[in-house]
Amino acid sequence: MATTPTNTPTKKGSAAVQARRVLVLNSGSSSVKYQLLDMNDRSRLAVGLVERIGEDTSRLVHTLLTGGGAEPRERTGRIADHAAALKAAAEELAADGLGLDSPQLAAIGHRVVHGGLRFTEPTVITDEVLTEIEQLVPLAPLHNPANITGIRTAQALRPDLPQVAVFDTAFHTTMPEYAARYAIDVETADAYRIRRYGFHGTSHAYVSRKTAELLGRTPEEVNVIVLHLGNGASASAVAGGRCVETSMGLTPLEGLVMGTRSGDIDPAVTFHLKRVAGMSAEEIDDLLNKRSGLVGLCGDNDMREIRRRIDEGDERAARAFDIYVHRLKKYIGAYSAVLGRVDAVAFTAGVGENSAPVREAAIAGLEEFGLAVDAGLNAARSGRPRLISPDYARVAVAVVPTDEELEIAEQTFALIGQAEQAGPAGSAGQLGQVDN
């Protein structure tokens, strides 16, 4: 259904094809994160964050990373809306000679949380595509509207420039039906699009590929369990470069214990809370998404603080840690069974990359699965992909820093190049496959 937009470069040697920069935008409900990347060497030229949009305490922090870098610049004071936020970000980029009017800017890549089953690949944004994204708002009411606002604002700033949507759900659309379907009435499920979609897809795609590289193999040769452990957390089973199972479902609530989300829970808990506690649907939603997980168990969702409290003998923090790790072990075991053969378990995101105690505890006792962690390697800090398993371990254990912005930039840049090569007559299938 995606079609070639009129602003897509179609001639070899056009300015857009020669341009090698991609601006990545991640528009949240009250924030905008942005990064400008040079695709010649995949380097970051500038990064920034606008937060608390619409409040009197709005703040923009912008950092130039070229030429040895510079101290972050900060703006404070009310930024009324996303349009004002993006204009402010554009002004900061222009002050560094990196303005959005630069002929070196090839495209703008947008993170879009939910693509449903329609969008299985990165997609050049047309009016038709934007309408489709709007129709998916009921599946992601907190995220897709903000993503759409960011897209519309960026289009207004650079209407001539290709804009590409990269979907969090796309990587997981390869799950087989028996993994994606819930065991509920089929007609009801289909009518309301109830199924397991999964999230953090750009991270799982990037980390599974980088894990294969770390092992000196191609993604097609490797089976990987990816554990994306941040404030939001998800696991995936990736067989030969394709996701076959993931822990998040219709929404990001399902699966692992998270910072503020419960993860897996008996669905009847919601009915019980309504009957016995008299809680409304909104109150239960707030409880499970914002007042559960680690913060619900011990009052903290920062793993560093939880570990500090454990070291001081705090039993509530210790219990929260044990519940968190127990859920991880369950998923490692389950996904080992799903994959049949596991070549690596990869930890990523804030907790996965930085918490040695979580990694050690999650792998402890899984020697029969071929898993082990070398204490010295696990304790060593590094910002690079690395193995933390001993040489004798049958299954590699890796720490692979995620880079969702780079993944979005690479998918965006590759898609624009495909459009240029295909030309207007034959490019529709390469401008983001839409699966009906």
Side-chain angles (χ1 to χ4, degrees):
M1 295 179 62
T3 57
T4 307
T6 56
N7 59 0
T8 300
T10 57
K11 295 181 180 180
K12 278 191 174 294
S14 69
V17 174
Q18 293 174 352
R20 305 286 296 183
R21 293 177 182 172
V22 173
L23 178 66
V24 174
L25 294 179
N26 181 353
S27 300
S29 58
S30 62
S31 66
V32 174
K33 298 177 183 177
Y34 62 92
Q35 292 193 12
L36 181 65
L37 295 95
D38 184 338
M39 302 311 293
N40 284 304
D41 57 4
R42 276 50 180 173
S43 64
R44 285 168 176 75
L45 304 178
V47 301
L49 167 66
V50 188
E51 58 185 350
R52 299 192 289 272
I53 295 171
E55 301 179 20
D56 292 336
T57 57
S58 303
R59 185 174 75 127
L60 183 156
V61 179
H62 173 91
T63 305
L64 175 67
L65 300 177
T66 60
E71 289 296 318
R73 298 197 299 269
E74 185 171 326
R75 291 191 192 189
T76 56
R78 181 177 176 81
I79 296 176
D81 52 29
H82 283 73
L86 277 178
K87 288 176 183 176
E91 289 170 2
E92 294 296 330
L93 288 165
D96 293 329
L98 302 171
L100 298 191
D101 59 349
S102 169
Q104 297 184 62
L105 187 60
I108 299 177
H110 297 265
R111 178 201 180 208
V112 178
V113 167
H114 216 306
L117 292 182
R118 292 226 173 244
F119 299 104
T120 63
E121 295 180 1
T123 305
V124 170
I125 300 167
T126 63
D127 290 343
E128 185 180 16
V129 166
L130 198 52
T131 297
E132 295 278 0
I133 295 172
E134 288 173 335
Q135 291 174 355
L136 292 166
V137 164
L139 294 176
L142 298 179
H143 297 93
N144 272 32
N147 302 152
I148 292 165
T149 299
I151 290 168
R152 291 195 185 281
T153 304
Q155 286 177 326
L157 288 173
R158 279 299 303 269
D160 61 311
L161 202 65
Q163 313 258 343
V164 174
V166 178
F167 299 90
D168 273 11
T169 51
F171 183 65
H172 304 303
T173 57
T174 56
M175 282 192 295
E177 279 291 288
Y178 56 75
R181 282 272 183 184
Y182 290 113
I184 66 172
D185 173 67
V186 171
E187 286 73 20
T188 301
D190 289 347
Y192 297 100
R193 295 181 289 188
I194 298 171
R195 62 184 290 120
R196 302 183 61 250
Y197 293 99
F199 299 89
H200 295 145
T202 53
S203 177
H204 287 279
Y206 179 86
V207 171
S208 60
R209 189 174 67 251
K210 289 297 178 182
T211 301
E213 291 179 11
L214 187 63
L215 299 179
R217 299 164 72 182
T218 67
E220 293 74 21
E221 298 175 302
V222 176
N223 289 354
V224 184
I225 297 172
V226 178
L227 301 173
H228 177 108
L229 308 180
N231 191 48
S234 60
S236 68
V238 182
R242 295 168 61 85
C243 177
V244 296
E245 178 66 280
T246 193
S247 58
M248 286 180 167
L250 174 71
T251 76
L253 180 60
E254 187 180 358
L256 303 176
V257 175
M258 305 176 220
T260 65
R261 298 183 190 125
S262 65
D264 292 338
I265 191 169
D266 182 346
V269 168
T270 59
F271 314 139
H272 178 78
L273 290 173
K274 181 176 175 58
R275 286 194 302 263
V276 177
M279 294 176 68
S280 67
E282 291 74 18
E283 289 172 327
I284 297 171
D285 185 283
D286 181 76
L287 169 69
L288 297 180
N289 279 289
K290 298 180 180 179
R291 296 188 289 117
S292 295
L294 291 172
V295 78
L297 289 168
C298 71
D300 271 311
N301 63 340
D302 187 324
M303 188 57 71
R304 293 165 297 186
E305 181 63 17
I306 291 171
R307 290 302 310 177
R308 184 193 66 77
R309 288 171 54 184
I310 292 171
D311 291 342
E312 293 178 353
D314 188 315
E315 293 184 3
R316 190 177 171 193
R319 182 170 63 245
F321 183 85
D322 289 344
I323 293 170
Y324 183 93
V325 168
H326 177 70
R327 189 77 57 84
L328 281 176
K329 284 181 181 289
K330 284 177 64 175
Y331 270 88
I332 292 171
Y335 285 4
S336 295
V338 167
L339 290 170
R341 186 198 81 244
V342 180
D343 298 296
V345 174
F347 290 86
T348 193
V351 174
E353 294 170 27
N354 297 300
S355 180
V358 165
R359 298 190 297 259
E360 179 182 12
I363 299 301
L366 299 180
E367 290 80 11
E368 291 299 318
F369 287 77
L371 290 159
V373 165
D374 180 282
L377 294 174
N378 188 38
R381 297 186 66 85
S382 172
R384 301 180 65 83
R386 62 197 186 278
L387 294 177
I388 59 171
S389 47
D391 292 339
Y392 64 78
R394 188 172 75 252
V395 178
V397 180
V399 179
V400 181
T402 192
D403 198 331
E404 294 175 86
E405 290 78 13
L406 177 57
E407 182 71 11
I408 291 170
E410 291 198 336
Q411 291 191 27
T412 296
F413 194 68
L415 180 59
I416 297 305
Q418 291 169 12
E420 181 274 329
Q421 291 174 13
S427 60
Q430 298 190 18
L431 288 178
Q433 179 178 333
V434 180
D435 182 5
N436 289 314

